Amino acid sequence: MNPRQVIVVGAGISGLACALRLRELGVTVRVFDAAENPGGLISTVQHEGFLFESGPQSFQLTSELRELIHSAGCGSELVEADPRTPRYILRGGKLRPAPMSPPSLLTTSLLGLSSKVRILSEPFRRSQPVAGDESFADFVRRKFGTEILEHLAGPFVSGVFAGDPEKLSLRSSFPSLALWEEEYGSVIRGAMKSRGQGEHVRPTLASFKMGMATLLRAIAQELGDAIASRVAVSSIQHGPQGWMLRCSGSANAETVSTSALVLATPAYAAAKLVAPSAEGLAKTLAGIPYAPVAVVAQGYRREHVRHALNGFGFLVPRTEKLRTLGVTWNSSLFPGRCPADSALMTCFLGGATDPQILALDDGQIANQVHQDIGRVLQISAPPVAQHVWRHNRALPQYNLGHAQKVAAIRDDLSALRGLFITGNYLEGPSIGSCVLQGFRTAQGVQDYLSR
Ligand SMILES: Cc1cc2nc3c(=O)[nH]c(=O)nc-3n(C[C@H](O)[C@H](O)[C@H](O)COP(=O)(O)OP(=O)(O)OC[C@H]3O[C@@H](n4cnc5c(N)ncnc54)[C@H](O)[C@@H]3O)c2cc1C
């Protein structure tokens, strides 16, 4: 066995970012993934001139993502959207611009006078964080009131986590809000300070000319035959020389050894693998809840959509009583997403507050979307093309107690020499956070192998 060989299980963005960085650090790496193609939650489908995305529609171009794109050699394919592109929130059946800056919080038609007074006075009503873990909803109600929770903060949370604000932990899901209250007694003061220090420059929103899968394909190409698709790891075992993996795939089942092992799978899959070696760790990993999401991409003839679609798309507060959580106007964000006479939009349903959505079949989900958005966007004919994805366990929920779970995972892991984990359930679900985590994990593996 090569003493500097590492196996990464999982070829989503977390595993691929980790694997490519390991290779750059001079480590021999192999990647196994159970699926047909690398990418995990990210895939792009081309259909009659439309570019449908199965999960993420874009990403914030963080410095780590820039590095990864550079290493994968697909920088020339990058397309960027204007970060000031307007977003909307539905209130009373009408789309209203979402406030994108502190002054616009005071002029927005989304909020009434008393909420605006609460925003204005918040810097002067200093407070300290409550003891223990506080839910995102309790925090927003305590600092700003119910209207802001229902019509601004709540929809935002469903856009990022597909989460339930009553259950999400403030500290784990939005750590900077908790930090600002702790340091300045006020989130508005904190936000202004971090802006002043240049910490809060809104990163560019980006994708690729041929969709999100471009990045995954470019990394996979770079890694070449180090990646094996359709190889599911069914068990792992710690031995004197490192880790032994039992794999089943297109070829016969085989056992493979490695000096270090990275699990870049979802938490529930990692739980099954570590169960025989570390029961406590498995229990903690299995205890991270996931929310289901249905993704519906729909192509319309442009003449059948009356709305100008001038922006990113819109979010839907639960009080509007629609099942659609949010809509991205893909063809307004990036060029080349659909034929010139058409419009492409992608809708998200389900999440932690509506897990029953997946009880519907694909046709019913698509009809639900058409019914929900048809009225809002004044759509006069059915879509000419559509694709539905059902993610049973789409996004990990950073609920109350999440920070303790992550600390326990890290603690238990330190006793398992040569085993590492990375993924979207640890330090943030965004693609940028997954890449950052993947790079850090690669560095941790390299340090371990050098010892
Ligand atoms: C609907 C939706 C919309 C989103 N929108 C955005 C967005 O707009 N912007 C953004 O930044 N982020 C977004 N995200 C979040 C982001 O896409 C994910 O957090 C990220 O892609 C997760 O990557 P990952 O590699 O950690 O996990 P995954 O993509 O889940 O990859 C895990 C991989 O592990 C493999 N695997 C599992 N078990 C085994 C096993 N036993 N053996 C071998 N292989 C195994 C799986 O096949 C899979 O390929 C969105 C997510 C969803 C679901």
Side-chain angles (χ1 to χ4, degrees):
M1 181 177 46
N2 176 352
R4 282 182 65 76
Q5 180 194 275
V6 176
I7 290 178
V8 175
V9 183
I13 187 67
S14 300
L16 290 180
C18 179
L20 194 58
R21 179 49 59 95
L22 278 166
R23 170 160 308 174
E24 287 170 347
L25 291 170
V27 176
T28 306
V29 65
R30 292 174 73 191
V31 186
F32 296 155
D33 197 288
E36 183 93 21
N37 295 302
L41 289 165
I42 304 172
S43 71
T44 309
V45 171
Q46 291 181 55
H47 178 73
E48 292 178 12
F50 291 92
L51 217 58
F52 295 146
E53 302 281 9
S54 63
Q57 312 292 307
S58 59
F59 53 86
Q60 293 198 324
L61 197 50
T62 59
S63 53
E64 290 79 21
L65 260 161
R66 279 187 198 277
E67 278 177 47
L68 182 67
I69 290 164
H70 179 73
S71 303
C74 56
S76 61
E77 294 298 303
L78 203 61
V79 281
E80 299 183 22
D82 183 346
R84 291 161 305 179
T85 304
R87 293 153 191 253
Y88 298 84
I89 295 179
L90 194 68
R91 179 151 195 189
K94 274 173 65 179
L95 291 184
R96 298 158 198 267
M100 305 274 280
S101 64
S104 60
L105 279 166
L106 301 176
T107 53
T108 177
S109 64
L110 272 170
L111 302 173
L113 186 61
S114 66
S115 292
K116 289 175 183 171
V117 170
R118 285 197 76 159
I119 291 169
L120 261 180
S121 60
E122 193 267 350
F124 309 103
R125 290 182 285 110
R126 286 175 186 247
S127 59
Q128 276 304 301
V130 300
D133 217 357
E134 185 178 28
S135 77
F136 179 78
D138 282 345
F139 170 80
V140 177
R141 265 192 297 265
R142 175 167 64 78
K143 296 290 282 177
F144 297 102
T146 303
E147 187 184 41
I148 292 183
L149 173 65
E150 287 181 352
H151 298 285
L152 196 58
F156 178 66
V157 158
S158 66
V160 179
F161 285 94
D164 180 347
E166 303 292 343
K167 292 185 182 157
L168 283 177
S169 153
L170 175 76
R171 268 173 206 285
S172 298
S173 46
F174 297 98
S176 28
L177 295 182
L179 197 74
W180 290 336
E181 184 179 35
E182 198 169 304
E183 283 190 5
Y184 306 105
S186 149
V187 289
I188 292 180
R189 271 177 202 271
M192 280 161 53
K193 278 265 193 247
S194 77
R195 260 174 191 250
Q197 289 157 359
E199 288 170 20
H200 226 66
V201 180
R202 196 184 278 267
T204 312
L205 209 57
S207 178
F208 296 90
K209 285 175 200 160
M210 294 313 290
M212 298 288 293
T214 301
L215 177 59
L216 288 305
R217 270 199 302 270
I219 303 174
Q221 207 163 352
E222 209 44 46
L223 290 170
D225 42 359
I227 296 196
S229 293
R230 293 190 298 269
V231 176
V233 176
S234 50
S235 69
I236 61 171
Q237 200 187 349
H238 199 203
Q241 300 227 306
W243 287 87
M244 295 215 310
L245 288 75
R246 185 107 187 116
C247 309
S248 54
S250 43
N252 294 330
E254 59 168 330
T255 303
V256 191
S257 306
T258 180
S259 30
L261 172 63
V262 179
L263 298 182
T265 65
Y268 51 86
K272 280 194 192 145
L273 294 177
V274 301
S277 322
E279 207 183 313
L281 174 59
K283 219 170 151 196
T284 315
L285 285 164
I288 295 179
Y290 279 68
V293 174
V295 179
V296 183
Q298 294 190 320
Y300 289 93
R301 289 273 162 266
R302 189 66 189 87
E303 71 207 41
H304 295 149
V305 183
R306 189 103 165 262
H307 193 277
L309 306 180
N310 51 337
F312 181 95
F314 64 97
L315 291 167
V316 185
R318 299 299 73 214
T319 46
E320 294 292 312
K321 307 284 179 222
L322 302 186
R323 292 192 84 174
T324 301
L325 298 169
V327 183
T328 303
W329 297 332
N330 308 74
S331 48
S332 305
L333 261 189
F334 300 116
R337 303 278 132 169
C338 64
D341 62 351
S342 305
L344 171 63
M345 53 191 91
T346 308
C347 308
F348 303 91
L349 300 90
T353 55
D354 185 13
Q356 305 84 345
I357 194 73
L358 292 188
L360 304 185
D361 65 30
D362 288 3
Q364 290 169 318
I365 294 175
N367 281 343
Q368 180 68 51
V369 160
H370 185 63
Q371 204 176 308
D372 283 353
I373 66 169
R375 199 176 36 85
V376 178
L377 301 177
Q378 295 174 281
I379 299 174
S380 58
V384 290
Q386 73 182 14
H387 203 105
V388 179
W389 281 270
R390 315 159 69 87
H391 301 291
N392 284 309
R393 290 195 269 192
L395 280 162
Q397 299 298 296
Y398 289 35
N399 284 350
L400 293 169
H402 187 77
Q404 288 91 318
K405 287 181 192 165
V406 173
I409 290 169
R410 301 248 183 253
D411 209 34
D412 287 347
L413 213 53
S414 62
L416 295 166
R417 286 174 52 75
L419 182 67
F420 297 82
I421 59 168
T422 195
N424 65 354
Y425 57 93
L426 294 164
E427 310 283 344
S430 71
I431 293 176
S433 303
C434 291
V435 171
L436 177 61
Q437 268 281 306
F439 284 1
R440 283 189 184 149
T441 306
Q443 189 58 56
V445 173
Q446 141 91 320
D447 293 347
Y448 168 77
L449 294 175
S450 314
R451 261 183 255 135

